[in-house]
Amino acid sequence: MKTINTRRSIRKYTDAAVSDTLLRRLLSEAERTQTMGNLQLYSVVVTRSDEQKRRLAPAHFNQPMVEGAPVVLTFCADFRRTTLWAENRNADPGYDNMLSFQNAATDALLFCQTFCNLAEEEGLGCCFLGTTVYMPQMIIDVLQLPRLVVPVATITLGWPDEQPALTDRLPLDAIMHEETYCDYTPERIDRFYAEKEALEENREFVRLNGKQTLAQVFTDCRYTRRDNEAMSAGLIDVLKKQGFLR
Amino acid sequence: MKTINTRRSIRKYTDAAVSDTLLRRLLSEAERTQTMGNLQLYSVVVTRSDEQKRRLAPAHFNQPMVEGAPVVLTFCADFRRTTLWAENRNADPGYDNMLSFQNAATDALLFCQTFCNLAEEEGLGCCFLGTTVYMPQMIIDVLQLPRLVVPVATITLGWPDEQPALTDRLPLDAIMHEETYCDYTPERIDRFYAEKEALEENREFVRLNGKQTLAQVFTDCRYTRRDNEAMSAGLIDVLKKQGFLR
């Protein structure tokens, strides 16, 4: 896993195919990831058809990777298979609740991340689309996801046709706490964010958006309160409609 | 990452220490994992003191790994640091909502899983404690987690002192769908669960619990409707109390 030290999200892919044999091997290996009670509370939907990619794209704000990648993978929290198994075995499944969604989403995300690490070690490039939970109903409709199945992650996958610069990360002490949570004073915030704020690419980002600070680019442009609150309401509706919340 | 093919959860550890140098290197490498808007919406709390392990144990049903492991790591969805950064930079953060919890939980879980992959490649053993979201308030109290911080995963970590058998997994076709979700007929359920149900260890598990089917062991003993519904209510209360849900 030396590849982790140079990993970057890849958004441009060559025309080379990702073979079904390779994809199946990597997904099978990722199945070794720990899972709650060994129930494997996830599913992955593989999109290779141009028609389905075209239909998925709007759910991801038409980011070009969706139609440009040879493969799109949608990882879903899935309690349906386990529930049907129980119903077919004279058992009474009680997984139509919030805790069960959290358990299944956890299983799906851990499985997804092992898959990403394996794919990157193989030389493939991935881009993780956080948009999956922004308008999940659109994805549910396109992929025909039934009750107790909710998409939680999307990966576009292919052979890299770009090598973008490594992005910065916060110093380890910014995210690591010893024994108890060490809260952030203004001085600690200044220290931990100094390098990020000083990067020329981030200063340019602030100028381009006509803002005073980098944080304002996030709060006013990229992830606004208004969008977050509207999409939160949509996500809660989806959890209700898919049977995880009353 | 060849280790993935032989990975198992490790619950017994030798007396050997996990050095701070190694732990910091693995956590730093795991920071390369993709993260929403490069915001790193997570924190990890490192527990090494016996006193803190003893206090965490009941939140994990006193499973012996918690007090038996040299290190316990609690991974948290964390929008607090980003929110304080924004507040200190004349920006208006709007991350006290459900979507933001989902985004931060995703970041924390992906980071956690890369850490596990790296630790296992290093020869360390991990056990993932799904109990983290069962009674999160106890963990919040012990680790003194403030508003906009919620624990979503716990790992016990150490050098393996056991080599349990590999556990079974469902065939890939049970969890993989092509283009659209292929729903599960009773025949497909029978086929996908046949191997699991036939395993001698699972048949013994059914007998020991005095049940008729393996599924009943899960629905009636391990993950019951009653427990799930009570713990769902607790989880929702915690999301409200920590400021992610109104």
Side-chain angles (χ1 to χ4, degrees), chain A residues 92-110:
Chain A
D92 173 36
Y95 306 119
D96 50 348
N97 45 61
M98 187 61 186
L99 181 75
S100 299
F101 169 71
Q102 186 63 32
N103 289 332
T106 298
D107 261 22
L109 291 164
L110 300 180

Side-chain angles (χ1 to χ4, degrees), chain A residues 31 89 93 169 197 225, chain B residues 31 89 93 169 197 225:
Chain A
E31 277 196 85
R89 295 295 185 269
R169 289 295 187 268
E197 292 173 318
R225 175 185 296 279
Chain B
E31 277 196 86
R89 295 295 184 270
R169 289 294 187 270
E197 292 174 319
R225 176 184 296 278

Side-chain angles (χ1 to χ4, degrees), chain A residues 104-162:
Chain A
T106 298
D107 261 22
L109 291 164
L110 300 180
F111 171 66
C112 170
Q113 186 55 27
T114 297
F115 174 81
C116 290
N117 287 327
L118 287 165
E120 287 166 353
E121 197 176 52
E122 198 72 28
L124 287 160
C126 302
C127 186
F128 185 98
L129 305 184
T131 39
T132 309
V133 291
Y134 290 7
M135 294 174 286
Q137 188 61 53
M138 293 180 68
I139 299 172
I140 288 168
D141 292 342
V142 173
L143 303 182
Q144 302 174 31
L145 305 180
R147 191 166 182 278
L148 298 182
V149 183
V150 172
V152 294
T154 302
I155 297 290
T156 57
L157 182 75
W159 300 102
D161 195 26
E162 64 170 351

Side-chain angles (χ1 to χ4, degrees), chain A residues 1 4-5 7 24 27-29 31-34 36-38 40 42-49 52 78 80-81 84-86 88-99 101-103 106 109-111 113-114 117-118 121 128 133 142-146 149 166-170 172-181 183-184 186 189-190 193 196-197 212-213 215-216 218-219 223 225 228-229 231-232 236 246, chain B residues 1 4-5 7 24 27-29 31-34 36-38 40 42-49 52 78 80-81 84-86 88-99 101-103 106 109-111 113-114 117-118 121 128 133 142-146 149 166-170 172-181 183-184 186 189-190 193 196-197 212-213 215-216 218-219 223 225 228-229 231-232 246:
Chain A
M1 261 187 81
I4 192 72
N5 295 311
R7 90 154 285 287
R24 291 180 67 93
L27 286 169
S28 289
E29 290 181 354
E31 277 196 85
R32 296 306 320 162
T33 304
Q34 67 275 4
M36 189 187 93
N38 200 11
Q40 298 182 251
Y42 53 78
S43 277
V44 57
V45 185
V46 179
T47 304
R48 288 183 180 274
S49 89
Q52 283 292 84
D78 187 335
R80 179 172 182 82
R81 187 184 56 246
L84 289 174
W85 174 52
N88 278 276
R89 295 295 185 269
N90 199 25
D92 173 36
Y95 306 119
D96 50 348
N97 45 61
M98 187 61 186
L99 181 75
F101 169 71
Q102 186 63 32
N103 289 332
T106 298
L109 291 164
L110 300 180
F111 171 66
Q113 186 55 27
T114 297
N117 287 327
L118 287 165
E121 197 176 52
F128 185 98
V133 291
V142 173
L143 303 182
Q144 302 174 31
L145 305 180
V149 183
L166 279 191
T167 48
D168 65 289
R169 289 295 187 268
L170 295 172
L172 181 60
D173 289 325
I175 58 116
M176 178 175 158
H177 304 259
E178 312 222 26
E179 303 299 342
T180 55
Y181 194 92
D183 211 356
Y184 299 90
I189 291 284
D190 286 349
Y193 286 84
K196 183 186 288 285
E197 292 173 318
Q212 300 162 308
T213 67
Q216 288 176 351
F218 288 98
T219 59
Y223 308 109
R225 175 185 296 279
N228 286 333
E229 290 182 353
M231 294 189 295
S232 287
I236 288 169
R246 270 155 227 170
Chain B
M1 259 186 81
I4 191 71
N5 295 311
R7 89 154 286 288
R24 291 180 68 92
L27 286 169
S28 289
E29 289 181 354
E31 277 196 86
R32 296 304 321 161
T33 304
Q34 67 275 5
M36 190 188 92
N38 200 11
Q40 299 182 246
Y42 52 79
S43 276
V44 56
V45 184
V46 180
T47 304
R48 287 184 179 274
S49 89
Q52 284 292 85
D78 186 335
R80 179 172 182 82
R81 186 184 56 247
L84 289 175
W85 174 53
N88 279 276
R89 295 295 184 270
N90 199 25
D92 172 37
Y95 306 119
D96 50 348
N97 46 60
M98 187 61 186
L99 181 75
F101 169 69
Q102 185 64 30
N103 289 333
T106 298
L109 290 165
L110 301 180
F111 171 66
Q113 186 55 25
T114 296
N117 290 156
L118 288 166
E121 199 176 52
F128 186 99
V133 290
V142 173
L143 303 183
Q144 302 175 29
L145 305 180
V149 183
L166 279 191
T167 47
D168 65 289
R169 289 294 187 270
L170 295 172
L172 180 60
D173 289 325
I175 59 116
M176 177 175 158
H177 304 259
E178 313 222 26
E179 304 299 342
T180 54
Y181 194 92
D183 211 356
Y184 299 90
I189 291 285
D190 286 349
Y193 285 84
K196 183 187 287 284
E197 292 174 319
Q212 299 162 307
T213 66
Q216 288 176 352
F218 288 98
T219 60
Y223 308 109
R225 176 184 296 278
N228 286 332
E229 291 182 353
M231 293 189 297
S232 287
R246 271 155 227 169

Side-chain angles (χ1 to χ4, degrees), chain B residues 49-80:
Chain B
S49 89
D50 290 341
E51 170 65 13
Q52 284 292 85
K53 288 177 200 160
R54 195 182 57 70
R55 295 180 68 202
L56 282 174
H60 300 294
F61 297 141
N62 292 306
Q63 293 176 93
M65 305 80 87
V66 178
E67 295 193 68
V71 184
V72 178
L73 300 176
T74 306
F75 294 82
C76 304
D78 186 335
F79 242 120
R80 179 172 182 82

